[in-house]
Each structure stands twice: as C-alpha cells, then as structure tokens.
Amino acid sequence: MIAERIKNSGVELTEAEATILALGIHSDTGSLVYDSTTPKDASMLGWAMEMGASQTAIAEHAKPTLSNEQQGVLTQSLININSTTVHGVTISTVLLSADGFIPGLASVTKDALDLSSSDVFLLAPHAVLEGAEGEGIGGGKSKGKNSNTSKNKGGANMGKDANEKLQKAKRKTVKALSSRGPELIVKEVPQLLPGVSSGLSAGSDMINSDSWKGGELAFQRQQLAATFAFYDTDRSGFLEKEEIFQAVSSAGFVISTENFDSLIAAIDTNGDGKIDFEEFVYFYTDMEEQRKWDAMRAEIEGKLPGVPSTMTIIGRVKAGVNVRNVNLNKLFQQFNGGGHPKAASATAKLDDESEAKTVLQGLVDELIDASLDHQLTVGDFMQSPVLSAKPSMTETQVEDLFVRYDVRALPVVDDENQVIGLVSYKEVAAAKMRLINKQEKRLRQVEKAAEQGKPLPEARPLESALKGWMKQHVQTVQASLTMAEVEQILLETDVGCIPVVADNTNSLIGMVTRTDLLRQHRYYSSLHYHNKGFSDSIAARKPIIELRKKLKKFDVENE
C-alpha cells in the first residue's frame, strides 16, 4: 500500500499531499464501507488526517456530484437498463454507444447500482476507433480478447472515408433545406421526442382548432410551437443550453460536452447564445437528417469489413451474502482488466462494434455459471428436526412446551404432519390471560353461590384447544428456496419465523428464523456458525427424532 510505504519511509507530507492521499483511500474503500476494507485502510486514513489532510476538502470531493454529461449517461442507463434475476440476485446491464471519452463513469455506475435496486451492475459504453489504436473510452489502453488490429485496419479507413462522404452530402442537404421557406421546413419536421407529439395534440390548450384555418402547414407549425414551449421551461421565448441538453437527452442521445457545444454553435446561427423558434425548426430538421444519414451509413458500412471499436466495462456489486462469490476482478482478467472483487473495470478491443452485445452477454453468462449457481437454500441452514404443536393442545400444554424448550414460536401440524398454523408467545400470552379471566370469573361465581346458599355452578373445562386461537393460513417456504428469497418474504410478511415444508408439499421439515438468516451473513468471525444440531441432514438426525418420539409419553398432556 502506497500510504504505508510513505509512512514507513518517514516522509513528511504537506496538507495538500495528505488530502490527496486521504481522498484516494476514501475512493478505494467507499469511505471505509466496502466489505474489502481492512483495518490497515482505516489506520492509514487516520494517519493522513494526522498529517493535516483537509476534512473540508474531503467532505466536498470524496463524493463529487455528477456533471451534466454524467447525469445524461445516468439517465440513459436507467432508461435502457436490462435486468435479469437469477437465484434471487438481480444482474443489470447497460450497453451504450458513445462518441468519445466520458469521464467519471465509475461514479455513474455506482449511482445506477443504487438507483436500480440491482445486486450487480455492468455499464458498457462503446465507441468506434478512429485512428486511435488501443485507446478506450476511459482513456486507458487494454488488449482486447481475440483482437486483430491488422485485420481491420483497412476496414477502419474505408469506414472513415465513407463517413466523410456522408457528412459532406448531409451538409449539402441541410443547406438545401435551409434555403426553403419556413412553412415548407415545418411540414417536413417530425416530432422526434417520444410522447410530446401525442401529448400536445390531444387536449393541449396550446393547440386549438383555429390553427386549421391556415391549412395543414399552419397546424403543423402550431404543433412545433407547442413543442418549443414545452421545453422552454422558463417561458423566456428562447431555449438555453440547459433546455436544449434536456431535449437531446430525452430523444435518446448521449453526447459529450465538447460535441454538445459544437452542436449549439452550429444551431445558434446569430451567435447570441440562445435558440429562437426559427433556429429550433432548423434544429429538428438537422436531427431528422442525421438519423437518415445514420441509417444510410449503417447500410453502406454493413457491406464493408467490420469497424474496430473499444468497449469499456465498469462493474459494481452490492455487499451481501447472496453475491459473496461474485468476483469482478477475476471476471475482467480476460480483458486485462482488474480492480477489486466488487468493483472493477476493463477495456475490450472489438473487431467490430456489433460484437459488443455478444461480449457483454458472455460476461453475464460466465458470472452466473461461476458465482451464482451455488446459492444457499433454506434446506442448508434451517432448524431441523423442529418441535411442533398439535391443534388439540390447551393453553397450559403449549405454555409448558415454550418454557421447557425455550422457544418463541411453534408450527402447528395435524396428525399427518401437515402445517395448519403457527403459535407464538404472543398468542400464548393472550390465551393465558383469557384463561385467568375465566378462572377468576368462576371463582367469583362460586363465592357468590356460597354466600347465597345456592348450589355451585356446573364445573366446565375452562381451557380451550389451540386450534381456536392459533394463527391460521400462515406463510410457509419450500426447502429449495434461496436465502435471498426467504429474506424478502420475512421482510414483506413482518414475521420472525417461517415453517419450512418439503418441496411441492405441505409437510413440515423445519423452521427458519431471522436469527438463522443473520447467522449466514457471518458478520463476526468470532461467532460459531457451524452448529451441527442445525446443519446435519434429516437422515443423520434420525436417531434424535426417534428419541424424541419415545420421550413424548412423558409430556404433560399424557400424564
């Protein structure tokens, strides 16, 4: 560790150097909350603070806010997310096409992981190589899997030449369109933003039937004016940069700050830094023509050799027992990537950009096969054999079981071992209170009859059967369910324990409690997690089961 070597060498750090070192430790350890954090990390962070690291600077920069460009990538990531759940683990992937370097994607991936409620998140922006050999979106160099640069070198040049020709033709077309009258331009402008056209043309107070008096062109211009007003959020009559960026993001484009500035400069024909309505019309025309030329380019380049591209893969994993075996560092080593088991990245060089989906899907498949196929199931850690109660038992008998075996809940089964209910200490306490009230009422009746010289009331049993006050229609889980699935059920039902039944049956085979689940997280190394009484198979516990059956005759109800 760099900090430890600096400390051992006796180097005195300046305040700025100590601050940078502390920020690095915060970044690598997630401010000491990653499960890979060690006591040495905390010690070195404390030493950096002793050397004069500025806590004000750390508070400001340890978790920086996302830039407008990063917010656009985050928005597109959440819109285009592709999620799948395997054994209770949610894996989310996003494949984006970028036009160049996008800084800070690690922060974007972390925020997307938290906002999407995913357990594993892979963000993969890819860009076509143009003259840069081995340079990825993240600015680093990495050797791709099965890459062959010499094979596609000529193809890349041909793709570049084709692109230049298309851009030249595009400029001519846009120039020709610009020479037409505004009404003709409006006629050819589509509503590029999803939902805006339909939303404004139906019931909007900005479009009225009077616009039809000027014909179809006037009505279309009125529609475009409504769209302009929709994005003119400050009602200034102009679109500022922020409003244009929001419009572009809503249309599904991910664009760098540099290219966005160039786009604004091209649209803002009078150079006043704002977009008026007429410039807005040209803007939509340009976007539509760009889409047409992109389609033509795809058709032309589809007949040419593949265009090399790079794909940067950034992965993040939430902490949890269900993803304990996930190791992104090992997964990304095939692309010469690396990092931590729960936070890593890599840059893959592709022979053709169409390979991006295949590579990303291959990583997901490998992740599932290597890390998620062997998840803990309820049968691995449930309590078994488990004590149960019969529906015919009385309050006193059930209370005796609770006291004798120190339990807080028991499943209720019938003569065929089918789960029909659950009884906890709350039900027992309420039943005992009702029994005490009945006994006190009987005592008052006897005393009153004795005072009045009347015959004593008929002695009737005061205790009631368990089936009358137990919990019915209780939640059960099958032994094959994963730990993550059972945890979710416990949270949703807000219960402390659940009876476990054999797969596809209602036969009781065990119980699982919150304590059992917490034990599997293994938060503390000093605790004993291998309780043989709870981890042996049913066959291995058969002698204990037989002994319990023999001891049944000594229970209270049989005395």
Side-chain angles (χ1 to χ4, degrees), residues 55-76:
Q55 187 61 29
T56 302
I58 293 173
E60 182 177 350
H61 299 288
K63 186 172 176 57
T65 57
L66 298 181
S67 64
N68 290 336
E69 184 180 10
Q70 293 168 346
Q71 291 177 11
V73 175
L74 177 60
T75 301
Q76 292 303 315

Side-chain angles (χ1 to χ4, degrees), residues 128-161:
V128 176
L129 283 172
E130 294 184 2
E133 198 163 328
E135 186 174 351
I137 300 173
K141 291 186 178 181
S142 176
K143 182 178 180 182
K145 187 177 181 181
N146 300 327
S147 62
N148 188 351
T149 55
S150 61
K151 175 181 176 182
N152 291 292
K153 191 172 182 179
N157 293 333
M158 293 178 67
K160 185 176 181 181
D161 294 340

Side-chain angles (χ1 to χ4, degrees), residues 121-375:
F121 197 96
L122 301 179
L123 176 62
H126 66 96
V128 176
L129 283 172
E130 294 184 2
E133 198 163 328
E135 186 174 351
I137 300 173
K141 291 186 178 181
S142 176
K143 182 178 180 182
K145 187 177 181 181
N146 300 327
S147 62
N148 188 351
T149 55
S150 61
K151 175 181 176 182
N152 291 292
K153 191 172 182 179
N157 293 333
M158 293 178 67
K160 185 176 181 181
D161 294 340
N163 180 53
E164 291 177 352
K165 292 179 181 179
L166 288 172
Q167 292 299 326
K168 185 176 181 181
K170 171 182 176 292
R171 287 193 292 269
K172 291 181 179 179
T173 304
V174 173
K175 183 177 180 180
L177 286 172
S178 300
S179 62
R180 305 179 188 181
E183 292 81 5
L184 185 57
I185 294 175
V186 171
K187 182 178 180 180
E188 299 185 6
V189 173
Q191 296 294 334
L192 296 179
L193 301 184
V196 173
S197 175
S198 60
L200 290 173
S201 61
S204 173
D205 58 357
M206 300 188 67
I207 296 179
N208 50 68
S209 59
D210 292 339
S211 60
W212 281 107
K213 296 178 181 179
E216 183 179 356
L217 292 181
F219 183 72
Q220 289 178 343
R221 188 174 182 85
Q222 185 75 0
Q223 284 185 308
L224 195 58
T227 304
F228 182 87
F230 178 82
Y231 286 102
D232 182 18
T233 55
D234 59 0
R235 299 297 183 263
S236 63
F238 297 92
L239 294 182
E240 283 76 18
K241 276 189 175 183
E242 294 76 10
E243 296 168 332
I244 287 291
F245 187 82
Q246 179 62 35
V248 173
S249 299
S250 301
F253 292 92
V254 177
I255 186 170
S256 65
T257 303
E258 181 181 355
N259 289 344
F260 178 72
D261 292 339
S262 300
L263 176 65
I264 292 297
I267 300 172
D268 185 16
T269 56
N270 58 11
D272 61 355
K274 298 179 290 185
I275 309 299
D276 59 26
F277 177 65
E278 296 302 329
E279 291 172 334
F280 180 71
V281 172
Y282 287 100
F283 167 65
Y284 270 109
T285 305
D286 192 22
M287 290 182 66
E288 175 62 13
E289 289 303 315
Q290 177 68 53
R291 289 192 177 189
K292 291 180 180 179
W293 288 119
D294 286 344
M296 186 181 298
R297 174 183 175 183
E299 182 179 356
I300 293 175
E301 294 188 347
K303 302 176 182 178
L304 299 176
V307 180
S309 64
T310 57
M311 179 172 67
T312 301
I313 311 165
I314 304 97
R316 291 292 184 270
V317 182
K318 281 184 179 179
V321 66
N322 54 338
V323 290
R324 182 185 301 164
N325 298 325
V326 175
N327 190 331
L328 295 181
N329 181 31
K330 184 177 180 180
L331 180 67
F332 290 164
Q333 284 179 0
Q334 56 187 299
F335 300 109
N336 290 342
H340 300 287
K342 301 297 185 288
S345 62
T347 300
K349 187 185 298 181
L350 308 177
D351 292 337
D352 188 86
E353 58 181 335
S354 61
E355 298 176 359
K357 291 182 180 180
T358 304
V359 171
L360 189 58
Q361 184 60 50
L363 286 174
V364 174
D365 294 340
E366 186 175 345
L367 178 67
I368 294 173
D369 294 339
S371 307
L372 302 182
D373 273 351
H374 305 289
Q375 291 286 320

Side-chain angles (χ1 to χ4, degrees), residues 366-401:
E366 186 175 345
L367 178 67
I368 294 173
D369 294 339
S371 307
L372 302 182
D373 273 351
H374 305 289
Q375 291 286 320
L376 278 175
T377 63
V378 179
D380 296 328
F381 58 85
M382 67 180 181
Q383 299 182 24
S384 180
V386 63
L387 189 66
S388 60
K390 295 293 184 180
S392 58
M393 287 183 174
T394 62
E395 295 92 340
T396 304
Q397 294 169 336
V398 175
E399 183 185 28
D400 180 70
L401 288 178

